[in-house]
Structures are given as C-alpha cells and as structure tokens.
Amino acid sequence: MTKEEFTKMKQELEAEYLAIFKKTVAMHEVFLCRVAAHPVLRKDLNFHVFLEYNQDLSVRGKNKKEKLEDFFKNVVKSADGVLVAGVKDVDDFFEHEKTFLLEYHNRVKDASAKSDRMIRSHKNAADDINRIASSLYTLGTQDSTDLCKFFLKVSELFEKTRKIEARVAADEDLKLADLLKYYLRESQAAKDLLYRRSRALVDYENANKALDKARAKNRDVLQAETSQQLCCHKFEKISESAKQELIDFKTRRVAAFRKNLVELAELELKHAKGNLQLLQSCLGVLKGNT
Amino acid sequence: MAASSDRNPPPFPAAEDPEPGLTEPADGDSDEGEDIFVSKTNPVSVSRGVSQPDRGGEDPPDLFGEEEAGSTTAKSNGVHSDDDNDLFAEAQVELSTDKPGGSAQKELSASSTSTQSPAAMQPTSLEQLEEEEAKDSFDVDVAVTNPEKVGDGMNAYVAYKVSTRTSLTMFRSKTFSVRRRFSDFLGLYEKLSVKQSLHGCIIPLPPEKSVVGMTKVKVGMDDPSSVEFVERRRAALERYLQRVVCHPSLLQDPDVREFLERDDLPRAVNTQALSGAGFLKMINKASDAVNKMTIKMNESDTWFEDKFQEVEAEEQQLRKLHAVVDSLVNHRKELCGNTAVFAKSMAMLGNSEDNTALSRALSQLAEVEDKMEQLHQEQAASDFFIFAELLSDYIRLLGAVRGCFDQRMRAWQRWQEAQSTLQKKREAEAKLLWANKPEKLQQAKEEITEWESRVTQYERDFDRIGMTVRKEVLRFEKEKAKDFKSQIMKYLEAMLQSQQRLIKFWEAFLPEAKAIA
C-alpha cells in the first residue's frame, strides 16, 4: 500500500472509532445522570462505590449459569405478564398508561429499526462516494492534461464531501437512532414496572380473597391478615412510586427528544452548509479554470 | 400551431407533463408525481453544453410548441441566436429542438427536451482543420423527443420525433422533423460504419439493444421501470445524434441527411439480431479478432502505439468508475426507500405521543424526512442520468476509438499483402524471363504494373488513414474533455442545489424542535 493510501485508511479508521466512542460516551453519561437524579437510586451504595473508588472495579461478567437463569426468568416473566395483563386496573391513570405505553413501545421499536436501516444506506452511499473519489484520482494521475487536472480537483471535492456525508450519517445515528433505541428500552422498562405493579395488585387481590376465605372458615385468620396487609402495603408503595416514575418518564422523554431533535437539526444544518460551501468553492475554481 | 393544446392522451401516464424545465434544476420537474426520471431528464439532457437557454417568450410555430407552450423553442431560439454570434468565437455546435414539421399530429406531450450539446468543434492541431472550422458554420441542432408507442402487442415499437434546425444550405429547409424508430438509428449507424470507418473515422455509437426492456414496453406495462427505460433510450439516442452531427465529415454524409430529412425511411432490417445480416456480422467480428491476433504490425510511428495504450488504460479506469457510480445509484435508491418508510414510522410515533408539542415536532420531522426522500430520489436520478450515462457512453466510444486503430492496422495489412504479392509476381516474371516464354511474360508484366499501382494506392490509403485517425483522436479527446467537464459541473451543480434545499428543510424544522416544551 502506498503511503497515501495508508494515511487515508488510518484517518478513516480513526473517524469511525471516534464516532463509536462518541456514541458510547453519550450513552454512559445519560445512564449515570439518570441514576444520580433518581431520589432512591442516588443513595445506593453500589453507585457511590462506582463513582468514588479510584482503583479498578473488576466487575465479573455473567457466567453461563447466570445467563441461563436470566433466560428462564425472562420466559417466566413474559408468560406471567400475559396472565397479569388481563386484569383491569381500578386506577384510571395506570390503565391509561398501560395502553399508551404498549402502543408507544411498539411504534418506537418500529421507528428505531427503520432509522437504523436508513442510516446504514446513508453510510453505504458515503462509502461509494469515497470509492468514486479514489477512482477519479487514478484517472486524474494518468497524465497532466487539462482534463486530468479537472479530475483531480473533482476527486478532492468528493473526498471532502464524503467525509461530511459520513459525519452526517454518524450524527444522525447518534442523535436520532440512539434516541429511539434508548426510548425503546425505556418504554420496555416502564412496561416492566407496570407489570410488577400488576403483579403486586394480583397478589393483593389474591391475599384479599384468601383472607375472606380464612375468615369464612375461621382458620389461620391472623396469618391471612398479615399477608394481606403486607400485600396491601407493597401494592400501595409500588403504586405511589410507579406513578411518580411514570410522570418523570414523560417529562424526561419530552426533554430528551427536544434536546436531541434540536441538536440533530443544528448538526444537519451545519454539515449541509459546510457541504454547500465546499461545492460552491470547488465549482468556482472549476469554472474559473475552464 | 398554437392550437396544439389539445393533445391526445399519452400512453405513458407518468410522462405526461410537458415541463420543459431543461436547464432548470429539479425544482421545476420534481413536482411531477411518480416519475421523477422522466421529468428529470429535462435538466439532464439539456446542458450537455454551456448554453443556458432562458425560457423566453412563446413561439407558436414550434416543434415543441406542439407539446408545450413552445417554451423550448423560445429557449432554443434564444440560445441559438447567442451561439450564432459566438459561433466563430467558440466554434460551438448547439442543439436544441425545434420546429414545426407539421408531422406528428398525435404528438405525445412526453418530455420534450432540447439538448444542448456543446460538442465544441475546436480546431485540432492541424492548421487545415482550423481554417475549415472557421469557414463552415456548424449550425445544426438536433433533438429527439416524444417517444410514442405505435402498434400493438409484439409488433409494437416506439417512435421518436427527431427534429432538426439548421442554417446549412445542404438541407432542404431550415427546420424540420421526422419520426424514427430505434432500428432506424441502428441502421444509420450500420451504414455509416461501413462507409466511414474505412477512412478511420470514429463513429459515435447508438445505444444498445435491449430485449428485456423493449419487451416490457411492447407488452404495454406502463410501470416506472419501462418508462425509465424509454427515457434512458431517448436521451441516449439524442446524444448519439448530436455526436453524429458534430462530426464534420459525418455531417456531409448523404445518409445522415437522409436520416434527418426524409419522411419515410426504408426499414433497416439488417439490424435485427436474429437476421441473416446479424449472423454475418458475428462471423465477421470473429474473423477480425483472429486476424488481429495473428498479425503484429511493426509500428513506425510510436504516437499510435502510445495512444492505443492510453485508450485501453482509460477504458479500464472508466469501467471501474462506472461500476462504483452504479453502486452509488443503487445505494441512493435504497436510501430513498428506507427514508420513506422511516418517515411513515415517525408519523405514527408522533400520533401516539401524548405531549402535543412533541407530537407536532415528530410529525414535522416525518415531513422533513419525506422531503429528504424526494431529494434523495432526485439526486439518484442526477447521479444516473448525468454521471453514469456519461461514463457508459464514453466507455463505448473508447471501444469505437480502438476500432479506428484497428482499421488503420487493417489498411497496413492490405498494403503489406499487396507488397508481398507484388514481390511474388516479380519473382514469377524473373522466372519466366529465364525460361523465355514471351506470351506469359507479357501477362506477367501487366500483372506487375497492376500490382505496383495497387501497392502505391494502398500505401497512400494507409498514410491517409493514419492522418485521419490522428485527427479524429485529437478531436475526440477535445470533445471528451469538454463533455466530461460540462457534465460533471452540471452534476456538481445539481448536488449544490440539493444541499441548498436540504438547508431550507432543516431550517424550517429547527424552530419546531425548539418549541417542544
């Protein structure tokens, strides 16, 4: 490989690495900020250790057994979820939230997948422009006629254009696709919360029924009473925090979308203007030469 | 001619709108419903040249006036007159469509395009040519428009309107038009190559046959791909004719004149693939290839060898570039599709969002993405029609240049063969002299003189061909440089315009995004 090709490849790899790095950093930042802002989670010891411990944390990844356990837990959860979902909620707020979240989750999933595909085609097109640029460069170096100089100039332009296009695709990825992916997972988490609450509700109702039965039979009344109270307590606590969390979710969602959409628009504008300037100056030079 | 507004419904529904937005960029034509490509060719085919016709006033008796309000003519008129003045300064040949041939009553207002072809006839290095250029005014404008399906079923074909406007005296009138079909164009090419290539000229190539494409059209499927196919072919035929009339010696050929003028051209049957003539051609090609391999010419003039290498290398490069541009076109089309799908998905998301400001912003985003999709589609069309077609044209033309070199080599072969025959005859004569047979001697002497004259003739032919090839190659290179430059600039300008529109879209969106509360 010639020296130029080598430097070009190095630059491309660096740009790609930078893009991925930016993405990962952004994700991590959002995660940590959210944990810190949460009234309960911010007091968690693990979180404090994470932030303060200045040596290596040496986190162990999940081994096979644990992964298998997770898998089974998921299966059970989804089956249970179906059973629990049928229960109609007394509270209007939660009922509304359930329907809303279900629909929203599906649509976000759809949008996320489609945005990924769109951005991938964009990247492909940018790569093609890169190949065109190098092809034109070879044509331009055949000899030194007027036409060849022209080709060299155009090849240069395409190189620069392509860098901008690649950055546009990367930015779209960062601002739009990642946003959608994040909210896909968020809405899933919200659904999970609702599921847990429904589970608690079902438990509570079951406990109520058991208590009634126990009172009727006049056996184990105390036991039934305590378990019923426990369930009731659990249910109320979860309802309260769930309500708060869901409201927060809404506000957070609106804010995040706003931030990302504004940034997306600004970046698109910046790149388009850059591209425009490039094209204008190149055309000016080319027209001046001919 | 003014009452040309009531036209019969065109067979290509998408290609209906007579928007002669030739030089105007996407904007004018992009309003055209589905078929972006059809209307897109307007801008594309137009300035193969430099002249930017402005839509001037109406000019009723105008060929294209039959399709649309004669804006094209006015356009071409404007351009034409400008170029007339500049003719000697720049020696440009411009093409625009024109006028009134009264012929086609059933014109379809399909995309009428006037193509400007600035195949600048710039003087080559040979002094002679410069003088000739200055004397003649190459003032011929040709355009191919209005593809119209004639007939039914498998015997259907597409007829194109070929319009010419000229001030050369060798033509019967100033402006005229005829209808031609694809095989007519091929027939013209056959005739020209048989005659002219012997002199070493580079004959422009017509577009290729396509069984699949034509069958779809014949069967009557009016889907976008067959419309695109017809449009592609129309643009290619136009470029082909423009190159033919730009070539000084080809223009003088009576066949060309007949093609442009004569109302009824005898059907060119020997262009059919499965005819006797077709097979003959294949056999000839095979034998030529064998010939080339066996004879090695000792080149006295290194210019030819160098040039040949150059041409071959360039053809390789162009092929590679063409492959990449093709892939770009495909990816852009893919991007188009994906963007459209994404826009719809975004709209749905916006609907299910309960915060009103955010919901509105999301629907706005969906709209922006929709507009981007259109932008991408136009960009893909421009990629294809301006860039990719340019490359494929030149790849084929370089093949024709190589054919030219081959002609020269064949001429050399003939000369050498004649020389060796002469040698043999002389030896035979010497033998007879020695054997002393007077009658046979006389015959031998006659044969010798005959062959001597042949040798000199073939030598002169060879030299002449050499000169013609040189001239042709230089002219070709100049034309190619000009062509590439203008087409690529046009392509870049299209890119520029799409970036400007992109900026407008996002600028409109930004306040919406900021308004989310």
Side-chain angles (χ1 to χ4, degrees):
Chain A
M1 246 194 283
T2 67
K3 187 152 178 282
E4 298 136 6
E5 283 175 26
F6 183 70
T7 38
K8 211 165 92 158
M9 204 177 81
K10 199 168 91 149
Q11 274 177 356
E12 273 171 52
L13 283 173
E14 277 172 4
E16 241 178 80
Y17 177 73
L18 191 65
I20 298 180
F21 184 72
K22 264 202 273 186
K23 263 175 71 150
T24 334
V25 164
M27 280 290 187
H28 287 168
E29 190 175 351
V30 171
F31 172 63
L32 287 178
C33 284
R34 284 229 11 233
V35 175
H38 197 280
V40 175
L41 290 176
R42 72 146 67 108
K43 302 187 188 116
D44 190 289
L45 182 62
N46 287 325
F47 186 51
H48 289 189
V49 167
F50 178 85
L51 288 178
E52 291 173 338
Y53 193 60
N54 23 13
Q55 284 157 28
D56 202 7
L57 280 177
S58 43
V59 176
R60 179 175 66 87
K62 290 190 178 160
N63 60 19
K64 262 196 224 155
K65 178 156 160 274
E66 284 171 350
K67 283 196 188 144
L68 209 56
E69 279 174 13
D70 276 344
F71 174 67
F72 279 125
K73 259 191 254 171
N74 269 335
V75 172
V76 169
K77 191 171 90 169
S78 37
D80 202 21
V82 173
L83 288 170
V84 162
V87 176
K88 177 127 172 67
D89 205 326
V90 180
D91 194 335
D92 262 347
F93 173 78
F94 285 106
E95 193 59 34
H96 168 75
E97 283 297 312
K98 217 188 328 187
T99 32
F100 167 74
L101 270 178
L102 208 62
E103 196 189 5
Y104 190 77
H105 175 80
N106 287 337
R107 293 199 178 163
V108 165
K109 190 153 49 161
D110 192 43
S112 171
K114 304 232 161 96
S115 77
D116 273 343
R117 256 188 276 162
M118 178 177 87
I119 290 170
R120 220 200 337 252
S121 322
H122 208 151
K123 282 207 185 103
N124 284 343
D127 283 339
D128 277 339
I129 296 184
N130 192 22
R131 299 213 306 261
I132 291 181
S134 42
S135 232
L136 279 175
Y137 183 77
T138 5
L139 262 176
T141 50
Q142 294 289 322
D143 62 55
S144 58
T145 62
D146 227 14
L147 183 61
C148 290
K149 286 197 210 111
F150 182 81
F151 279 150
L152 285 174
K153 259 243 144 285
V154 177
S155 143
E156 208 181 295
L157 169 73
F158 275 149
E159 261 299 311
K160 296 195 190 128
T161 289
R162 170 229 152 226
K163 284 207 187 92
I164 292 185
E165 285 291 325
R167 214 163 296 154
V168 170
D171 284 336
E172 277 182 357
D173 197 15
L174 188 64
K175 300 293 170 193
L176 197 53
D178 279 354
L179 173 72
L180 290 171
K181 256 186 253 174
Y182 189 74
Y183 274 92
L184 175 66
R185 293 210 290 264
E186 278 279 295
S187 51
Q188 181 64 42
K191 273 169 69 181
D192 287 346
L193 172 62
L194 280 180
Y195 159 72
R196 290 200 293 279
R197 184 180 160 279
S198 301
R199 177 86 250 155
L201 178 61
V202 167
D203 287 342
Y204 179 42
E205 287 184 354
N206 286 345
N208 269 340
K209 283 196 207 122
L211 182 61
D212 287 341
K213 245 201 299 194
R215 283 211 180 115
K217 289 201 191 139
N218 217 352
R219 262 201 316 174
D220 298 324
V221 173
L222 193 59
Q223 197 184 22
E225 252 180 34
T226 34
S227 74
Q228 189 253 22
Q229 269 186 359
L230 214 66
C231 285
C232 176
H233 181 67
K234 194 166 120 186
F235 174 67
E236 274 165 15
K237 211 166 91 152
I238 207 180
S239 291
E240 203 184 296
S241 65
K243 200 171 206 156
Q244 190 54 45
E245 291 277 342
L246 286 172
I247 294 176
D248 280 345
F249 172 63
K250 223 182 277 279
T251 0
R252 252 206 331 268
R253 186 174 76 236
V254 173
F257 265 80
R258 180 184 195 282
K259 173 168 172 285
N260 279 351
L261 287 180
V262 169
E263 283 175 5
L264 175 73
E266 284 173 353
L267 280 170
E268 291 262 3
L269 274 174
K270 181 175 112 175
H271 291 311
K273 284 191 182 139
N275 229 348
L276 184 69
Q277 205 184 31
L278 258 184
L279 282 167
Q280 272 169 341
S281 64
C282 183
L283 270 174
V285 169
L286 289 177
K287 278 196 186 133
N289 280 346
T290 48
Chain B
M1 284 303 152
S4 53
S5 29
D6 340 48
R7 289 284 136 220
N8 299 340
F12 299 119
E16 230 149 322
D17 200 331
E19 275 283 6
L22 292 181
T23 48
E24 284 169 15
D27 290 336
D29 295 320
S30 57
D31 304 333
E32 270 332 288
E34 325 91 86
D35 195 42
I36 294 295
F37 288 129
V38 170
S39 40
K40 212 18 187 146
T41 48
N42 288 336
V44 167
S45 38
V46 164
S47 31
R48 203 191 129 185
V50 173
S51 27
Q52 297 289 321
D54 40 292
R55 295 211 203 177
E58 306 270 315
D59 204 7
D62 182 47
L63 271 168
F64 292 98
E66 298 182 76
E67 287 64 61
E68 65 236 27
S71 22
T72 8
T73 1
K75 204 183 335 188
S76 26
N77 275 336
V79 171
H80 192 61
S81 48
D82 281 345
D83 280 293
D84 272 348
N85 297 334
D86 293 339
L87 209 49
F88 298 134
E90 301 177 28
Q92 264 185 352
V93 173
E94 52 146 3
L95 302 177
S96 59
T97 56
D98 214 351
K99 237 318 203 123
S103 36
Q105 287 311 308
K106 290 198 229 159
E107 295 283 87
L108 281 199
S109 36
S111 40
S112 72
T113 50
S114 60
T115 38
Q116 309 290 333
S117 158
M121 298 302 301
Q122 290 179 12
T124 68
S125 46
L126 303 176
E127 299 301 317
Q128 257 179 336
L129 204 56
E130 277 184 64
E131 290 171 23
E132 280 170 29
E133 301 276 348
K135 283 193 220 124
D136 303 357
S137 60
F138 284 112
D139 186 18
V140 186
D141 310 335
V142 180
V144 175
T145 54
N146 302 66
E148 189 183 61
K149 189 164 152 203
V150 175
D152 244 336
M154 287 315 285
N155 289 329
Y157 63 89
V158 179
Y160 303 88
K161 181 162 133 187
V162 175
S163 337
T164 326
R165 193 169 57 122
T166 174
S167 68
L168 289 181
T169 47
M170 70 182 185
F171 290 100
R172 270 184 313 194
S173 56
K174 292 250 175 222
T175 54
F176 46 88
S177 81
V178 289
R179 295 196 75 77
R180 294 278 178 260
R181 53 183 288 187
F182 183 65
S183 50
D184 293 339
F185 287 84
L186 287 185
L188 175 66
Y189 172 67
E190 294 291 320
K191 288 188 206 148
L192 286 179
S193 50
V194 160
K195 279 192 287 183
Q196 295 286 358
S197 63
L198 292 179
H199 306 156
C201 290
I202 301 173
I203 320 278
L205 290 157
E208 290 167 348
K209 281 173 169 291
S210 160
V211 178
V212 175
M214 268 326 279
T215 321
K216 277 218 278 211
V217 172
K218 283 188 209 218
V219 167
M221 290 163 44
D222 286 336
D223 58 340
S225 69
S226 59
V227 176
E228 185 189 329
F229 170 77
V230 170
E231 183 46 46
R232 224 181 120 176
R233 181 169 269 201
R234 185 207 62 78
L237 287 175
E238 195 168 61
R239 289 194 301 268
Y240 164 61
L241 276 188
Q242 284 162 2
R243 290 200 182 102
V244 167
V245 298
C246 279
H247 195 295
S249 25
L250 287 185
L251 187 57
Q252 305 295 329
D253 191 311
D255 273 331
V256 171
R257 230 176 313 148
E258 190 184 59
F259 182 85
L260 290 175
E261 279 187 325
R262 194 164 154 188
D263 280 324
D264 259 315
L265 210 57
R267 181 93 187 271
V269 282
N270 58 353
T271 58
Q272 284 166 344
L274 298 179
S275 62
F279 281 129
L280 202 61
K281 250 188 291 177
M282 281 200 292
I283 295 175
N284 278 340
K285 269 200 205 137
S287 67
D288 280 345
V290 171
N291 258 348
K292 241 191 292 185
M293 287 194 284
T294 51
I295 307 289
K296 184 69 184 101
M297 176 169 165
N298 48 351
E299 187 61 72
S300 49
D301 193 351
T302 49
W303 186 90
F304 288 97
E305 208 164 286
D306 291 339
K307 255 309 167 231
F308 191 70
Q309 307 279 35
E310 241 181 70
V311 165
E312 271 189 334
E314 195 164 354
E315 194 176 330
Q316 292 293 74
Q317 297 294 339
L318 284 185
R319 268 187 214 276
K320 264 191 260 178
L321 185 57
H322 184 242
V324 183
V325 173
D326 243 352
S327 136
L328 176 65
V329 171
N330 285 337
H331 281 143
R332 262 213 231 274
K333 286 198 197 158
E334 207 180 279
L335 177 61
C336 235
N338 285 344
T339 313
V341 163
F342 175 68
K344 286 200 193 81
S345 170
M346 259 292 144
M348 301 252 315
L349 187 65
N351 277 343
S352 68
E353 173 64 61
D354 50 4
N355 179 313
T356 35
L358 181 56
S359 165
R360 195 176 45 236
L362 286 178
S363 341
Q364 289 285 22
L365 182 64
E367 267 179 46
V368 169
E369 292 290 338
D370 230 352
K371 289 189 201 142
M372 298 271 285
E373 181 238 341
Q374 238 190 3
L375 206 69
H376 288 311
Q377 209 175 11
E378 283 162 13
Q379 182 73 23
S382 135
D383 286 346
F384 179 71
F385 277 101
I386 302 183
F387 209 178
E389 289 282 87
L390 169 75
L391 290 174
S392 56
D393 272 358
Y394 271 95
I395 290 174
R396 284 180 315 136
L397 281 174
L398 284 177
V401 172
R402 268 189 300 144
C404 200
F405 277 88
D406 287 344
Q407 290 293 342
R408 180 170 167 273
M409 192 156 83
R410 255 177 263 156
W412 182 84
Q413 270 178 23
R414 270 199 300 267
W415 177 33
Q416 295 301 319
E417 278 169 14
Q419 265 191 337
S420 64
T421 328
L422 179 64
Q423 187 66 14
K424 279 194 217 121
K425 297 279 179 205
R426 283 207 176 116
E427 284 172 9
E429 187 211 16
K431 259 191 257 172
L432 286 177
L433 212 56
W434 195 75
N436 206 4
K437 290 192 181 144
E439 338 74 42
K440 291 225 179 107
L441 200 61
Q442 183 56 29
Q443 186 189 20
K445 278 211 194 317
E446 281 171 10
E447 282 182 358
I448 285 184
T449 34
E450 183 200 333
W451 277 97
E452 268 175 1
S453 69
R454 273 207 204 169
V455 166
T456 29
Q457 192 204 345
Y458 286 162
E459 181 173 3
R460 252 192 318 203
D461 275 349
F462 174 67
D463 286 334
R464 197 166 39 88
I465 261 199
M467 248 181 47
T468 321
V469 168
R470 261 194 139 106
K471 226 169 46 175
E472 284 288 301
V473 168
L474 287 171
R475 189 193 75 90
F476 173 75
E477 288 194 336
K478 288 220 156 65
E479 192 175 320
K480 176 175 69 142
K482 190 101 192 183
D483 224 358
F484 263 90
K485 279 190 201 166
S486 71
Q487 287 292 89
I488 290 187
M489 301 252 279
K490 205 161 70 157
Y491 178 65
L492 293 180
E493 273 170 12
M495 273 176 75
L496 194 118
Q497 259 133 20
S498 68
Q499 288 299 317
Q500 279 170 331
R501 286 170 69 203
L502 207 130
I503 287 179
K504 257 190 275 183
F505 296 154
W506 285 104
E507 272 176 355
F509 175 69
L510 190 57
E512 276 293 336
K514 288 199 170 139
I516 302 175

